Every structure is written in structure tokens, then in C-alpha cells.
Amino acid sequence: MMKVKIWGNHEAMSMAAAGCIAREFGREPRLLVCLATGSTPVRTYELLGSRARAFPAHFAQLRVLKLDEWAGLPMSDPGSSEAYLQHRVIRPWGVGQRHFVGFASDSRRSQLECQRIQNWLARNGPIDLCVLGLGRNGHLGFNEPGSTLCPVAHRARLSEQTRGHPMVSHISVKPKYGLTLGMAEILQATRILLLVSGEDKRKPLQRLLRGEITTEFPASLLCLHPQTMILCDRAAVGPRPAQNKSLRPLT
Ligand code: GLP
């Protein structure tokens, strides 16, 4: 069952998330962590950078897997997940480049690229800890709402809403596709941490907390996962706490 913890603001949520992630890192130095990008986890990753300076041994052997990537962008584009994670995670946390794995955004053969990630995960997985953000339309990674979902790493057609994401706001011709882990690969993670922050996530969060499972709202599949924790801030929850008793917030 999903556990929900509500924090007063984005900073408090980020501190809690960083604490929770750091504890996992301290327990298992070779942990495989899968990381989302986007604005929600920025502060969490920054706080973990400070921890990495204090406890470098907890980060030195970590294995980091990129959750998703915009297809067709140069790897060096500031909007790519690659540039984001290099800048905010890999360098500040002191993770070795050979311990960082993810889709090449500029691959001309995206099917093969997805197959490469599928194979890598089949050999090196499952993910120990998966840190996710919530798309405004309920997507996870680039698993977009639809009548079906793909279980493994694949090239996904992006919705117009997703193409409007701030990460690619500087690009005039927006990516049409994303490369993403599939829902089965995400759900096979031992632990999942979903971060939800800000008023514009209120509707999708409410829908998620209703607990109805549908491929039209991919985040709802998290209800099937035994170890998912949602950390959210008050702005995302709204003034009244969620009513669903089975998903009652812990704080
Ligand atoms: C993006 C990314 C996701 C991210 C989500 C939320 O499209 N593909 O990995 O978690 O949308 O982003 P944000 O935190 O900026 O709202």
C-alpha cells in the first residue's frame, strides 16, 4: 500500500526525501538508484550533494540509472536529462561515470538504445530505489496515459502537455518522443519514492490518492507496489487532507 507523508513546504519535503534517500545509500553502498529529472527533485538532489561531501563513501560506489530522456536532443543540451543529472547528481555526488547508465538522447536507433537499457537492467537490476516525479497528466517517466502501457524500456510518443514541460521550453521544435523505462521495470523496484510538490500537482495527486488503477493515469499503477512512499508538500495536497482512509496521510 502507498504511504503518504505531507510536509509544510517544498523545502521540508526535500529535506525529508534527501534524508530517506541518504539512509538507503548508507545501508547499501552499491545500491542501484533510478532518478527522475524535472523541477520537483532539484532541491532534494542538491541537499544530497551536501551529504556526499560529508559522507563520500556512501556515494562513491552508487549505481545511477536515468529514468527517462528526451529523444533527439544532443546529450549536451541543457534541457536533456543527461545534462540535468550530470550537473545536479553525478558530479556533485561524486558518482563514477562508469556507474551512470542511461538512454543516449541522440541515438539514431532508438529501438536498439531501448533494447540496450532493457538488457542492462535485466542483467544488473532490479532497481533498489526509484525516485519519481508526477507528471501533470499522471505520467511516470515518459509513460504517458493511454489504453495500453509498455512494460519495458521503450520510445514513447509524448503528449502535447508533456512537450510543454519547462525542461524543453528553450527549444523551438519540441521533441516528439521520449525514451523511458517501462512500468514493469519501475514497479520491480524494491522501493519507490514519489515526490509531489506545488499547486499545479493538486489535481493529479488527488486522482492518485483516489486509488483507482488505470493505464489512462499511469501513476495509479503505483497502488500495486508494496513499498511506495509519496512525499508531498501542502501546496500539492491543498488545504484539506485526502479522505481515502486506506491512503490516509501519516502526518
Ligand atoms: C517530466 C519527466 C519526469 C518528471 C515529470 C515531472 O516530463 N519526464 O521524469 O518526473 O515530468 O516534472 P516536474 O517535476 O518538473 O513537474
Side-chain angles (χ1 to χ4, degrees):
M1 202 202 332
M2 296 188 299
K3 288 182 181 159
V4 185
K5 287 196 182 187
I6 304 166
W7 298 91
N9 55 37
H10 180 81
E11 181 66 15
M13 182 202 76
S14 303
M15 285 173 65
C20 183
I21 296 167
R23 267 194 300 282
E24 294 295 314
F25 290 180
R27 265 201 276 271
E28 169 52 52
R30 274 187 46 78
L31 190 107
L32 174 59
V33 61
C34 174
L35 298 179
T37 57
S39 62
T40 310
V42 166
R43 180 67 179 141
T44 301
Y45 296 160
E46 192 179 34
L47 289 166
L48 283 163
S50 309
R51 292 231 185 195
R53 284 189 289 281
F55 303 100
H58 292 177
F59 293 73
Q61 294 180 65
L62 269 187
R63 296 170 300 151
V64 176
L65 176 63
K66 183 172 23 168
L67 171 68
D68 57 16
E69 184 57 276
W70 303 94
L73 288 194
M75 291 284 259
S76 58
D77 189 290
S80 68
S81 299
E82 179 71 20
Y84 176 114
L85 289 175
Q86 287 287 355
H87 176 68
R88 299 179 192 281
V89 169
I90 304 305
R91 287 183 214 134
W93 295 8
V95 175
Q97 290 295 339
R98 68 196 171 87
H99 291 157
F100 176 42
V101 175
F103 302 100
S105 56
D106 53 1
S107 169
R108 295 239 186 105
R109 303 166 84 184
S110 48
Q111 307 290 10
L112 282 182
E113 183 58 6
C114 292
Q115 188 70 54
R116 180 179 74 84
I117 297 297
Q118 272 177 41
N119 294 344
W120 186 88
L121 196 49
R123 276 198 312 274
N124 298 281
I127 295 161
D128 296 302
L129 174 64
C130 189
V131 180
L132 299 173
L134 179 61
R136 281 160 193 73
N137 62 0
H139 71 218
L140 292 180
F142 283 131
N143 292 280
E144 295 276 39
S147 54
T148 61
L149 290 171
C150 181
V152 292
H154 62 284
R155 187 176 83 137
R157 187 162 188 116
L158 300 177
S159 68
E160 282 312 306
Q161 194 175 24
T162 300
R163 296 177 80 208
H165 192 279
M167 280 177 82
V168 289
S169 61
H170 61 291
I171 298 169
S172 50
V173 183
K174 311 290 183 202
K176 277 200 180 105
Y177 295 93
L179 308 176
T180 184
L181 295 192
M183 285 307 303
E185 292 161 334
I186 293 172
L187 291 172
Q188 278 157 18
T190 308
R191 294 197 62 189
I192 295 177
L193 199 59
L194 175 70
L195 305 183
V196 190
S197 171
E199 204 179 323
D200 58 343
K201 298 293 173 70
R202 203 172 284 179
K203 272 198 178 149
L205 180 60
Q206 279 170 356
R207 184 166 180 187
L208 176 61
L209 296 182
R210 280 209 298 274
E212 291 163 10
I213 299 166
T214 167
T215 58
E216 297 293 346
F217 191 77
S220 68
L221 272 76
L222 293 178
C223 297
L224 299 168
H225 189 268
Q227 288 282 353
T228 289
M229 169 86 82
I230 304 176
L231 297 185
C232 47
D233 62 16
R234 177 53 63 190
V237 177
R240 285 181 49 222
Q243 296 298 305
N244 187 331
K245 281 198 183 132
S246 65
L247 300 171
R248 200 179 55 218
L250 296 179
T251 56

